Amino acid sequence: MSAATARPTEAELAGFRDRVKAHIAEHAPPFEAREGHRAPVTAEQEARLRTWFASLFDAGFVGGDWPVEYGGRADHHPLHDRIVSEEILRARAPRPVDQVNLAAHVLLHFGSDEQKSALLPRIRSSEHVWCQLLSEPDAGSDIAAVRCKGTRQPDGSWVIDGQKTWITDGHWADMGLALVRTDPSSSRHHGLSAFVVPLTAPGIEVRPIRTINEAIEVNEVFFDGVTLAADSLIGEPGQGWSIIMAGLDFERFGIGGNVILLELLIDDLVTVARHGRIDGMPALQHEDIRHQVAELAVEVEVAKAFIDDHVERMVAGAEQTGDGSIAKLSFAETYHRVSAYGAQLSAMVCTVADPDVAQAKQRLKECWLWSRAYTVSGGSSEMMRNILAKRRLLLPTR
Ligand SMILES: Cc1cc2nc3c(=O)[nH]c(=O)nc-3n(C[C@H](O)[C@H](O)[C@H](O)COP(=O)(O)OP(=O)(O)OC[C@H]3O[C@@H](n4cnc5c(N)ncnc54)[C@H](O)[C@@H]3O)c2cc1C
């Protein structure tokens, strides 16, 4: 990563924000990002997404934190990433695929020079979209239970057998970052290794999973005698656990920008409550509804306040144990509560044929259907509570 630069002034940050907004206005694809419908559904959409992601790298708005030799910016500051993420969400433009950043982070920290030179430019150009091949049917919350097996061959290559599941973007990704058990006598987090997997390799089958929102975002991925070249291994055999955990830690920073999604949810909720009518009156004139909307708005402000504080502490290097878990828990649970109430209210009110209100109702429904994805993926809310109980509160655990 580039050396830490001085904190930009407020004027510099405002100028940066203006440049990001102008870039979005000029380059974002002409379709709105829909929660739970992030993956492209046509070849044209996929081409537009790839061009859009590449434009963000070219402009230095994504991957700005990479070393300059690999395309990063010398003047990058973590607050820039937050601004980019906020403005993309506010514009309802498609977000870059998280897994791409995660893979880049892992390659930059643990990849060989050959892997970096071969793979990083293809991430920047969006020739390669990546996915994360970690979870398995019996290894989700307990990821150390991974059973997918990698066997080293006499010529140094590896043969992979097993199954991964819930793989976001697996159906259109080109490459995957896989966690595989390479020492058959090992257990738990020992004996695991990290690999670069081309999704076109013979023996890989990707089976899309249709979710409750009628979308294909996640997939099962089967490995049946898949041969990977010796240089597909990242780092050393057995280093997989620390490599993947370092990557997952990095994911937390993205949560900061996501709070904008909560603001957007409240906007839609207020639109429906203001324009929808119950018993002939605008819903917001009913006291119980007014109170409920106000209470949820307060929850959103609390979540935002924590994230603001968390981001500042991360920038200052003053994070506390469990901060990432609080950020994830607070975002995911608030998102679920607001969207669930929004969907419920949408079903209760009568609305005039106003396209803005219809769109707000549709978005609230889609967010609600997707809300459980946030409380499960990347570590469930229960696991976040466990981490907080154990590491932050030092409570006894079973
Ligand atoms: C939308 C979505 C996208 C995803 N994308 C990816 C991806 O790209 N790559 C990837 O590798 N994985 C991905 N996942 C998988 C995700 O990481 C797992 O679903 C998650 O870790 C939970 O694992 P599980 O589904 O096996 O549930 P389980 O681990 O079986 O958990 C089931 C329930 O039991 C609870 N539970 C489990 N253990 C405990 C405990 N010790 N204490 C208290 N409660 C517990 C959980 O909180 C949960 O409610 C994705 C999942 C979703 C939903």
Side-chain angles (χ1 to χ4, degrees):
M1 301 288 129
S2 53
T5 46
R7 186 188 178 97
T9 62
E10 288 308 311
E12 282 164 344
L13 289 175
F16 181 83
R17 194 180 286 277
D18 287 344
R19 290 198 296 283
V20 173
K21 283 184 184 172
H23 184 88
I24 293 170
E26 192 177 339
H27 295 279
F31 44 85
E32 185 175 303
R34 292 167 58 200
E35 285 287 276
H37 296 262
R38 204 174 57 160
V41 290
T42 64
E44 194 207 335
Q45 259 188 20
E46 179 176 334
R48 287 206 181 246
L49 280 184
R50 286 185 192 255
T51 307
W52 161 234
F53 298 155
S55 83
L56 290 167
F57 276 108
D58 280 350
F61 295 146
V62 174
D65 58 328
W66 295 16
V68 175
E69 59 184 304
Y70 292 114
R73 281 189 289 113
D75 65 348
H76 170 266
H77 190 276
L79 289 174
H80 291 150
D81 299 339
R82 183 159 190 215
I83 289 175
V84 172
S85 168
E86 283 177 358
E87 291 306 326
I88 289 177
L89 290 173
R90 272 205 187 105
R92 299 191 189 276
R95 273 174 282 172
V97 176
D98 313 331
Q99 286 75 5
V100 171
N101 287 330
L102 189 83
H105 180 83
V106 163
L107 289 171
L108 283 166
H109 279 82
F110 301 98
S112 64
D113 288 345
E114 292 73 25
Q115 285 169 334
K116 288 183 206 170
S117 318
L119 296 168
L120 293 172
R122 289 171 169 159
I123 289 181
R124 295 194 82 89
S125 67
S126 270
E127 179 190 339
H128 283 173
V129 164
W130 282 65
C131 63
Q132 244 169 270
L133 298 156
L134 312 178
S135 304
E136 299 181 5
D138 293 318
S141 302
D142 184 16
I143 198 75
V146 157
R147 283 200 303 207
C148 189
K149 187 174 72 170
T151 314
R152 194 168 220 165
Q153 305 300 297
D155 65 356
S157 64
W158 296 85
V159 171
I160 313 292
D161 288 283
Q163 180 189 351
K164 297 288 177 181
T165 193
W166 306 119
I167 307 307
T168 303
D169 298 319
H171 58 301
W172 69 294
D174 308 281
M175 307 295 283
L177 174 66
L179 186 63
V180 173
R181 189 162 298 283
T182 47
D183 177 353
S185 64
S186 67
S187 66
R188 309 300 298 156
H189 54 278
H190 303 285
L192 296 169
S193 302
F195 287 92
V196 173
V197 180
L199 274 268
T200 48
I204 294 186
E205 188 190 345
V206 178
R207 288 190 205 155
I209 301 172
R210 190 169 288 277
T211 40
I212 191 171
N213 55 348
E214 290 295 318
I216 305 287
E217 294 277 305
V218 289
N219 304 265
E220 292 176 291
V221 178
F222 295 87
F223 297 84
D224 183 5
V226 175
T227 300
L228 298 179
D231 62 4
S232 305
L233 178 74
I234 305 175
E236 299 295 323
Q239 208 191 343
W241 181 259
S242 48
I243 290 176
I244 297 298
M245 287 304 125
L248 290 179
D249 253 12
F250 170 75
E251 258 191 327
R252 289 171 305 159
F253 204 86
I255 295 171
N258 275 350
V259 286
I260 299 302
L261 289 174
L262 301 179
E263 274 181 24
L264 297 178
L265 275 175
I266 290 289
D267 288 350
D268 282 338
L269 180 59
V270 170
T271 299
V272 171
R274 181 168 285 140
H275 298 282
R277 299 177 82 83
I278 296 177
D279 297 336
M281 283 199 304
L284 263 187
Q285 282 183 19
H286 292 264
E287 194 177 7
D288 54 335
I289 292 174
R290 218 170 43 238
H291 285 179
Q292 187 64 39
V293 171
E295 196 147 322
L296 290 168
V298 170
E299 276 192 51
V300 167
E301 288 305 316
V302 171
K304 277 168 54 188
F306 177 79
I307 297 290
D308 284 343
D309 188 49
H310 179 223
V311 169
E312 287 299 333
R313 278 183 286 120
M314 275 198 285
V315 168
E319 262 194 285
Q320 290 178 32
T321 308
D323 273 358
S325 300
I326 297 178
K328 164 123 203 323
L329 189 60
S330 149
F331 167 76
E333 293 293 327
T334 308
Y335 183 102
H336 172 67
R337 275 194 291 275
V338 179
S339 61
Y341 186 69
Q344 189 189 338
L345 188 67
S346 297
M348 281 161 54
V349 298
C350 302
T351 45
V352 286
D354 177 330
D356 289 341
V357 182
Q359 204 176 25
K361 285 170 83 172
Q362 175 66 16
R363 280 196 295 247
L364 286 167
K365 186 179 96 181
E366 287 184 351
C367 292
W368 170 59
L369 289 176
W370 193 241
S371 62
R372 281 300 174 205
Y374 283 123
T375 63
V376 173
S377 60
S380 67
S381 290
E382 289 77 14
M383 297 312 287
M384 295 303 109
R385 292 187 186 102
N386 281 353
I387 291 171
L388 287 168
K390 188 172 168 185
R391 302 205 195 134
R392 178 115 164 190
L393 303 174
L394 306 178
L395 296 175
T397 51
R398 278 185 290 138

